[in-house]
């Protein structure tokens, strides 16, 4: 694999090795040459989407039953922490021998983690299951991006990214309702242990098609590069550092400064080694693409993770209604991704991303208004729908731009960098949000999960999560103005 070396911002676009066919011969992602592959990988996304929406709905009840509301953020951040290592591993694995291996291994770990969480007797065992699941998720997501970079021509990539977003629509509508109903009538554990059975179909569809169209190294004639052990160590460092920071943020004691310092010491060199040079200062081109992905995903996920808990504890909604209130977001997310896939939007892609980030910032800032009793609950569903519209445009566009700036042999490494930024930001912002939530008495809201609205309520704890994340998203709107490569000096 070609390691992710520091590079200048003005990287020229490169087509993937299997995508460099005549554009006219590849009319759509569902033409005979792509149909089986497209259906297979979108099915994988469909499963991941169903898991995310279903688990988010069941999480408040699971945390209460396992006496773990005080470490509620860990249940989300554990997934992202281990996925960081999985992403780096998948990037090297995919560039060396193709995406088939990491995809199969990732789906297996994903299912095993669900089973472990679903059978857990304590909150920490539940969190361990989420960590195993995250390792699998990190392998899968990078492998899917490598498949797209290799098997689809550049003009088809916005469409397949839009199809990925569309794969979230049905789970976003059905997932919360199904998970809430199962949680209330059968128990939250069935939400976790039932999903692994669904792994078989996506694998049966995706793996044979990937073997035919995107397997093997990017350049079959070139010698296979050895594993980059330095990057593997950096990946372990970034995962361990993120975990230590999460732990320190949750404990809120003076002694927590020790693991916090250790976490920073591990994270700083790992981030500098795994992300493109200039990422931290929003250098134009690839560094800003990678940075924006982290800002957008981290701010949005950190906020969204607390939405069901806020609705259950502060407004007295059932788990079913709390999850279902966000169902419209799946539709608007897909709409935003579809808009960016239209050919007429290409000249305006940067402006579209800026607008998307503005929508995300406004939605997150408006979400805690539901803490006011006179504000109807449906208002949150409306504003969150606008936020998801912006996210659909932003997430798909950053993926498209990254592939445009990546050489074929760098797609795995660059996709890993994009996903590392995504996952690391999720961990750090969830840690910050979880710390603020706990510091303002958020752990006590667990007593309100099954009681009437306002019991044990700490509305300030929720406001301390949402408002800072809105500020982070606003910074992302500025970073979005720097996605195009700087003009060459000549």
């Amino acid at each position: 694999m070609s390691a992710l070396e520091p590079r200048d911002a003005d990287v020229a676009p490169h087509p993937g090795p299997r995508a460099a066919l005549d554009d006219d011969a590849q009319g759509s992602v569902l033409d005979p040459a792509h149909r089986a592959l497209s259906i297979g990988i979108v099915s994988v996304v469909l499963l991941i989407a169903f898991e995310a929406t279903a688990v988010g709905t069941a999480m408040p009840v699971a945390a209460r039953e396992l006496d773990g509301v005080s470490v509620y953020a860990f249940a989300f951040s554990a997934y992202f922490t281990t996925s960081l290592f999985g992403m780096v591993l998948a990037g090297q694995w995919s560039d060396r021998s193709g995406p088939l291996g990491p995809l199969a291994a990732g789906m297996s770990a994903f299912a095993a983690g669900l089973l472990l969480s679903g059978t857990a007797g304590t909150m920490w065992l539940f969190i361990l299951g989420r960590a195993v699941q995250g390792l699998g998720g990190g392998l899968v997501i990078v492998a899917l991006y490598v498949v797209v970079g290799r098997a689809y021509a550049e003009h088809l990539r916005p469409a397949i990214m839009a199809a990925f977003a569309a794969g979230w629509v049905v789970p976003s509508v059905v997932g919360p309702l199904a998970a809430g109903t199962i949680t209330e009538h059968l128990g939250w554990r069935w939400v976790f242990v039932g999903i692994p059975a669904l792994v078989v179909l996506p694998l049966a569809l995706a793996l044979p098609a990937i073997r035919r169209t995107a397997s093997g190294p990017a350049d079959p004639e070139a010698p296979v590069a050895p594993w980059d052990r330095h990057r593997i160590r950096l990946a372990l460092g970034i995962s361990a550092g993120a975990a230590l920071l999460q732990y320190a943020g949750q404990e809120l004691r003076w002694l927590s400064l020790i693991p916090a310092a250790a976490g920073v010491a591990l994270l700083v060199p790992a981030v500098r080694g795994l992300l493109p040079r200039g990422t931290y200062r929003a250098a134009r081109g690839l560094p800003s693409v990678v940075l924006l992905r982290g800002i957008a995903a981290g701010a949005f996920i950190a906020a969204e993770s607390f939405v069901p808990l806020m609705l259950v504890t502060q407004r007295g909604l059932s788990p079913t209604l709390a999850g279902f209130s966000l169902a419209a977001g799946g539709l608007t997310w897909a709409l935003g991704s579809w808009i960016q896939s239209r050919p007429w939007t290409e000249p305006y892609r940067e402006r579209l991303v800026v607008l998307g980030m503005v929508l995300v910032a406004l939605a997150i800032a408006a979400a805690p208004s539901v803490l006011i009793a006179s504000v109807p609950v449906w208002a949150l569903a409306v504003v969150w729908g606008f936020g998801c519209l912006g996210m659909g445009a932003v997430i798909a566009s950053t993926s498209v731009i990254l592939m445009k700036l990546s050489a074929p042999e760098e797609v795995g490494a660059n996709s890993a960098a994009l996903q590392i930024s995504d996952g690391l930001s999720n961990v750090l912002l969830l840690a910050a949000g979880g710390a603020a939530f706990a510091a303002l008495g958020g752990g006590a809201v667990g007593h309100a999960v099954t009681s009437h609205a306002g019991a044990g309520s700490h509305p300030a704890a929720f406001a301390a999560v949402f408002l800072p994340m809105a500020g982070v998203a606003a910074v992302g709107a500025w970073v979005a103005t720097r996605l195009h490569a700087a003009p060459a000096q000549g």
Side-chain angles (χ1 to χ4, degrees):
M1 185 202 76
S2 176
L4 183 63
E5 299 293 340
R7 53 180 61 81
D8 294 333
D10 53 338
V11 180
H14 299 269
R18 299 176 190 267
L21 303 176
D22 184 75
D23 285 355
D24 294 336
Q26 302 182 43
S28 78
V29 297
L30 290 177
D31 62 22
H34 297 92
R35 185 179 299 121
L37 177 63
S38 297
I39 294 174
I41 60 178
V42 171
S43 296
V44 173
V45 173
L46 190 71
L47 173 65
I48 293 174
F50 184 80
E51 179 276 337
T53 55
V55 167
T57 302
M59 197 74 78
V61 178
R64 176 189 58 82
E65 185 173 312
L66 297 174
D67 195 24
V69 172
S70 62
V71 290
Y72 182 77
F74 271 121
F76 293 95
S77 62
Y79 180 100
F80 297 117
T81 299
T82 54
S83 70
L84 294 171
F85 178 74
M87 291 166 189
V88 177
L89 184 63
Q92 291 204 42
W93 194 348
S94 296
D95 284 345
R96 294 181 77 252
S97 56
L100 189 64
L103 181 63
M107 291 295 285
S108 300
F110 190 81
L114 282 167
L115 289 173
L116 182 56
S117 289
T119 56
T122 66
M123 189 62 177
W124 287 110
L125 191 58
F126 178 90
I127 291 171
L128 176 61
R130 292 285 290 166
V132 174
Q133 188 185 346
L135 176 64
L139 290 169
V140 168
I141 192 64
V142 171
L144 287 178
Y145 274 63
V146 174
V147 170
V148 171
R150 291 190 181 188
Y152 294 87
E154 184 177 315
H155 75 288
L156 292 180
R157 293 172 190 164
I160 194 63
M161 288 299 169
F164 281 1
W168 282 78
V169 173
V170 173
S172 296
V173 175
V174 177
L177 181 61
T181 302
I182 292 171
T183 298
E184 292 177 22
H185 296 285
L186 297 178
W188 63 267
R189 295 181 185 277
W190 286 98
V191 175
F192 289 85
V193 301
I195 294 177
L198 304 177
V199 169
V200 177
L201 179 60
L203 285 180
L205 288 170
L207 296 186
I210 293 172
R211 184 179 290 110
R212 292 192 302 270
T213 60
S215 60
D219 184 359
E221 304 299 324
V224 178
W227 286 93
D228 189 336
R229 296 182 180 180
H230 176 63
R231 285 177 59 80
I232 296 295
R233 288 193 296 269
L234 291 178
L236 289 172
I238 203 171
S239 295
L244 287 169
L245 280 179
Q246 172 70 26
Y247 174 79
Q250 200 71 36
E251 287 299 306
L252 297 178
R253 297 181 298 175
W254 283 110
L255 288 177
S256 298
L257 292 175
I258 297 175
V264 171
L266 288 170
L267 274 179
V268 171
V271 169
R272 291 176 63 87
L274 293 172
L275 300 185
R277 178 188 295 167
T279 297
Y280 70 95
R281 56 182 173 83
R284 286 191 173 274
L286 185 64
S288 283
V289 175
V290 171
L291 177 61
L292 177 62
R293 180 58 166 264
I295 289 175
F300 188 82
I301 293 299
E304 188 177 56
S305 298
F306 284 86
V307 168
L309 189 66
M310 179 172 65
L311 294 176
V312 169
T313 61
Q314 305 303 300
R315 297 303 296 264
L317 269 65
S318 68
T320 301
L321 291 178
F324 197 63
S325 66
L326 301 180
L331 295 170
T332 57
W333 189 303
L335 177 61
S337 187
W338 178 83
I339 290 172
Q340 67 79 36
S341 73
R342 300 300 87 195
W344 60 266
T345 63
E346 187 59 38
Y348 310 103
R349 186 172 295 278
E350 184 175 283
R351 296 180 185 177
L352 181 64
V353 175
V354 173
L355 176 61
M357 287 307 304
V358 170
L359 289 176
V360 171
L362 292 175
I364 296 175
S369 65
V370 79
L371 294 168
I372 303 172
S374 60
V375 175
V377 172
W378 57 260
L380 187 144
V382 172
V383 299
W384 212 250
F386 280 102
C388 288
L389 177 69
M391 285 294 290
V394 170
I395 296 301
S397 289
T398 53
S399 302
V400 170
I401 296 170
L402 176 123
M403 291 178 190
K404 188 175 182 179
L405 297 177
S406 299
E409 67 276 7
E410 295 176 326
V411 172
N414 288 355
S415 296
L418 190 75
Q419 297 302 325
I420 288 169
S421 178
D422 186 318
L424 179 61
S425 180
N426 285 332
V427 172
L428 295 181
L429 292 181
L430 272 169
F437 183 74
L440 293 177
V445 303
H447 302 296
V449 172
T450 57
S451 60
H452 64 280
S457 64
H458 290 270
F462 289 100
V465 174
F466 287 97
L467 298 182
M469 298 308 156
V472 173
V475 172
W478 170 77
V479 176
T481 65
R482 304 176 60 79
L483 303 184
H484 289 317
Q489 302 295 322

